[in-house]
Every structure is written in structure tokens, then in C-alpha cells.
Amino acid sequence: QCEDRLQALYKMVEEDPRRRKHKRHVAQNEEVHIYYKDVLGPKLLLEAENTYILSMDGDVDFGPDSVRMLVDRMKKNKKVGAACGRIHPIGTGPMIWFQKMEYALSYWLQKTTEHSLGCVLCAPGCFSMYRASALMDDNVMRMFAQKPEEPDDHILHDLGEDRWLSRLLIEQGYKIEYCAASDAYTHAPETITEYFNQRRRWIPSTLGNTVCFLKNYRRTIRLNENVSFLCILYHICFLASYILSPATITIAIADAFNATTDIDMWGSFILACLPAVVFLVVCYQDWKEEIKIGFAAMLGTYYSILMMIVVVGTIVRIVDGSWKTTAVLFLVIMAVIFFLTSLCHPFEISCVKPCFLFFLCIPTSYILIVIYSLTNMNQSTWGTRDNVYVPQKRRKANLDENDIKELEKQ
């Protein structure tokens, strides 16, 4: 559209002698440039400010009201560069049950807190709305379109492009808002392989972009009035808690072992750390990802049994009166958080039904997946929805099996 208008402007200047004789302009090109800047520039900027781009995955389902609510968020404040809605995972199987509660807690606690403190750090690419003028900002689109050259560029750009784009918008002074009433439904991974590969991209990208955001916090606070020191402090605490969560869970499991068995504390600690050490060694082997994830499934089952022991150990500690331990405090705090949060969202209270399954899978999601993600950052495959459909017509053509396999890889 801009190119068509510029060509029409060239034609107008060539056909109108009065414009070519204007005293302000030395040459025809200069006249085009100044006229474009003075007349068409503001008009295009105004249109871009009121033009919104909706990004979504191909399998996302949503209604007109969800889009309308995002548009309302954009209209209220010109500095809102993006707005995101509430994502609900859909599908069948235990993996979907686990993710329903995982997504619910993430949006109930993390996204809401970020929005309340001034600015959401990531607008998910599966369902978000962007302001065209914000994307057209030179330091946003130019940076976003750069080709990754360094290893950290691969982590920040390729593994989580939505988080990378969101950080660019925030660092240019734009605000990202969260609308809890804008619902969208996406097909989540139903197998442990897809789930692990999805988190293999998400976790390094989240950690990397959060660290970069905190490194440049002085500049961001100066340019973005929505980012306060309290917002920075929250992300520091969130990053620290995420880094310390594997150790916290391991200590809780070891303490429960010590409470329910005759094993001493050091022996309990070794039994709690053993699966993580074994999986770390497995991940550094040059094996196929199916083998590594198979090990993760077996060790995750072992961890689930340990988490049952944690529940029994917690009950034993409470009965004995020695409740001031890591395992008891960990379990009680989690139960209180889940209970109070679900009461604040009565229409989505069904999301906490698989709370016991979620509790059993905590070591897998906070220890094994973290190890798998940080030791496989060299993998560039998307990990989910990689199955490419090859039409029957192509199969009937003169293609051998090697050609068909090459098409599937592409």
C-alpha cells in the first residue's frame, strides 16, 4: 500500500509543473521526499496506529468476543503495543490434564501479576494482537528480522520468537497487556515426546530473554514508563525461584525419605539426587531424543513414587509435631496457593481437578525437563507438529522412497 502511494506521488509531481517550481525544493526527488514526509507520513502513521495484527497458531479456536476484547485493550492506550488473551489447552489424555492446571496457574498467578505490575513480559504467539505502528518501529522490526549469527542469538531469536518480539516492544517503550476474558483454545502436546520438545524451546528462551531484560533494566525503566522497579524486582525473584526450584524439590524429597524410612539424611539426599544425575549423564550422550525421553519417562515414574512418599512423610511430620521442615512447608504452601487461587477463579475451578497428578509430576517438570532443555539447546527442530503430510498425488509420481523421505524432512 505504501509503495502504491509513493508511485502515485511520483506521477503527481511529474504531471504538475507548479510542484516542480516550488521554491522549497531543489530537485524533484527532494520534493517527493518532503511531501511524503509532511503529508503522507502522518497519515500512514495514524492508519498504522489503528491497524492491529492478530497472530495465532493454525489450530487455535476462538470467538469474535475474544478478538473484540483485545481490540478494546489496544484502543484504550496508544502505547499498548501488544495484548494477549487466556490460552486453554485442549486434547485428551493425562498430559492434557497436567497442562490444564499448569496453564491455569501460569495465567492466574504469573500473567496477572505481570499485568498488575505494569507490563506482561511475553505475548504468546499462539493468540496475541499487535499494533502495526509498534511493529513498524525501526528498532523493533529491524532487530526482529536480523539473522541469528551468535549462539545466544539462536537461543533468544529462534527458540522463542514471540518472547523475543515482546522484549523488543517493551524495550522501545511499548506496553503489553493481558486480558483474562479473551479466551482461546489451542491443541497442546498429548505425548511426552512432544511435551519435552516444546519445553526444550520454551525454557532456554524464557531464561535467556529474562536475563537480557534484567541486564538492560536501567534503560528499559528510562524508556518505558510502565516498567517500574517493582516489576524488575518481581522478575528477579521469579528467575531466582525458578533456578532454585530443582534444589528445593530435591531437598523436600530427601526430607520425606528421612521422615518415613530409617535412611539417614545423606542417604536420602543421594536417593533424591540419583535420577537427576543419571538423566544428566544420559542427555550428554549422542543418542536419539526418543531414547533420552524414554529415560525421562522411567525416571519421572520413579520421581512420582517419591512424591507419594513426600505426602506420607509430610503427614508423619505433622502428626509428630515436627512440621517446620522443608518438605512440610513446601507441600503446605503449594496446597494453600492452589486452594486460594482456585477460589478466585470459580468459573475455571475445574482446572485444579488434576491437582494430585500435577503434584506427582512436579519433579519431572522442574528437574528433568530443565536438564533436557539446557543440554539440548543445539537442537533446532521445532519439536511439535513436525509431521508433514505428503499428498497421495506426489506418492504416485515417479518418486522413490528416498525422495519421499526427503520431502517429509523438508
Side-chain angles (χ1 to χ4, degrees):
Q1 186 180 9
C2 295
E3 184 66 26
D4 293 341
R5 292 186 179 184
L6 188 58
Q7 294 298 330
L9 184 60
Y10 271 112
K11 184 178 180 180
M12 179 183 65
V13 172
E14 291 175 356
E15 294 177 352
D16 192 349
R18 292 174 298 176
R19 295 187 180 278
R20 288 200 295 269
K21 296 178 181 179
H22 201 284
K23 295 180 180 180
R24 279 179 56 188
H25 311 299
V26 179
Q28 179 176 323
N29 290 337
E30 185 178 353
E31 182 178 11
V32 171
H33 170 74
I34 294 179
Y35 190 80
Y36 179 80
K37 178 181 178 182
D38 294 344
V39 179
L40 287 187
K43 186 176 181 181
L44 291 176
L45 180 60
L46 180 62
E47 291 183 359
E49 284 184 350
N50 296 292
T51 300
Y52 311 117
I53 300 174
L54 182 66
S55 70
M56 70 193 81
D57 287 345
D59 56 2
V60 169
D61 186 19
F62 58 91
D65 290 338
S66 299
V67 179
R68 191 176 299 111
M69 291 177 183
L70 294 182
V71 172
D72 291 340
R73 291 281 182 177
M74 307 291 281
K75 287 183 176 180
K76 287 181 180 179
N77 188 353
K78 296 294 184 181
K79 292 302 293 182
V80 175
C84 59
R86 167 74 162 92
I87 309 300
H88 301 264
I90 57 176
T92 57
M95 289 300 304
I96 300 298
W97 305 341
F98 170 80
Q99 289 176 87
K100 282 186 177 181
M101 185 166 181
E102 183 187 35
Y103 274 64
L105 292 176
S106 175
Y107 281 93
W108 292 350
L109 299 176
Q110 184 180 351
K111 278 284 192 293
T112 306
T113 303
E114 291 178 356
H115 177 81
S116 301
L117 293 178
C119 189
V120 176
L121 200 58
C122 176
C126 61
F127 185 72
S128 293
M129 182 170 287
Y130 299 90
R131 189 183 301 275
S133 60
L135 297 179
M136 290 166 60
D137 193 300
D138 185 56
N139 288 325
V140 174
M141 190 50 60
R142 180 177 59 84
M143 295 290 293
F144 185 72
Q146 284 183 349
K147 184 178 180 180
E149 296 179 356
E150 301 295 330
D152 55 344
D153 293 339
H154 166 71
I155 296 173
L156 298 176
H157 303 185
D158 291 348
L159 297 185
E161 70 289 340
D162 51 359
R163 190 170 289 273
W164 162 239
L165 179 58
S166 300
R167 184 165 70 85
L168 291 176
L169 291 172
I170 294 173
E171 291 179 349
Q172 283 305 115
Y174 294 100
K175 183 180 181 181
I176 299 177
E177 290 195 350
Y178 165 60
C179 181
S182 178
D183 296 309
Y185 302 86
T186 182
H187 288 271
E190 297 183 357
T191 64
I192 188 172
T193 301
E194 287 187 348
Y195 181 76
F196 264 67
N197 285 327
Q198 183 191 66
R199 301 312 159 106
R200 169 177 55 78
R201 296 183 288 107
W202 286 9
I203 291 176
S205 171
T206 301
L207 295 177
N209 279 287
T210 303
V211 170
C212 291
F213 172 74
L214 295 176
K215 283 173 61 178
N216 301 325
Y217 80 95
R218 294 182 184 273
R219 177 181 177 275
T220 304
I221 290 177
R222 187 173 64 254
L223 295 177
N224 196 328
E225 60 182 9
N226 301 295
V227 178
S228 62
F229 182 76
L230 188 60
C231 177
I232 299 296
L233 183 62
Y234 164 75
H235 286 293
I236 292 175
C237 295
F238 173 80
L239 182 63
S241 64
Y242 193 87
I243 294 174
L244 295 176
S245 58
T248 304
I249 295 169
T250 302
I251 293 174
I253 293 174
D255 183 72
F257 254 127
N258 180 252
T260 54
T261 64
D262 296 331
I263 304 175
D264 59 5
M265 194 62 194
W266 280 107
S268 301
F269 189 72
I270 291 173
L271 289 175
C273 291
L274 185 61
V277 175
V278 170
F279 190 60
L280 182 63
V281 174
V282 169
C283 286
Y284 273 109
Q285 304 301 315
D286 188 18
W287 295 344
K288 294 181 178 179
E289 65 176 23
E290 290 81 3
I291 299 177
K292 297 178 181 179
I293 296 176
F295 270 95
M298 292 186 293
L299 296 174
T301 304
Y302 173 76
Y303 265 135
S304 298
I305 297 173
L306 295 188
M307 293 305 288
M308 294 181 186
I309 297 176
V310 169
V311 176
V312 176
T314 301
I315 297 173
V316 172
R317 291 286 192 184
I318 294 175
V319 172
D320 292 343
S322 56
W323 57 271
K324 296 181 180 180
T325 61
T326 304
V328 176
L329 293 176
F330 174 77
L331 187 60
V332 171
I333 291 174
M334 284 194 59
V336 171
I337 291 174
F338 292 169
F339 177 73
L340 294 179
T341 308
S342 61
L343 290 181
C344 295
H345 300 81
F347 293 104
E348 297 182 6
I349 199 169
S350 60
C351 294
V352 298
K353 286 182 179 179
C355 59
F356 188 69
L357 173 64
F358 181 83
F359 177 76
L360 295 181
C361 295
I362 284 178
T364 302
S365 58
Y366 284 92
I367 298 178
L368 298 182
I369 290 182
V370 172
I371 294 174
Y372 180 77
S373 302
L374 299 181
T375 54
N376 289 274
M377 290 189 292
N378 60 312
Q379 296 291 334
S380 59
T381 58
W382 197 248
T384 55
R385 304 181 180 93
D386 280 341
N387 295 327
V388 179
Y389 172 68
V390 180
Q392 192 68 20
K393 292 181 180 180
R394 289 190 182 181
R395 295 184 179 275
K396 291 181 179 179
N398 295 327
L399 298 177
D400 56 18
E401 292 297 326
N402 294 330
D403 294 333
I404 293 176
K405 291 180 179 178
E406 186 65 27
L407 286 173
E408 292 176 345
K409 289 179 180 180
Q410 295 174 1

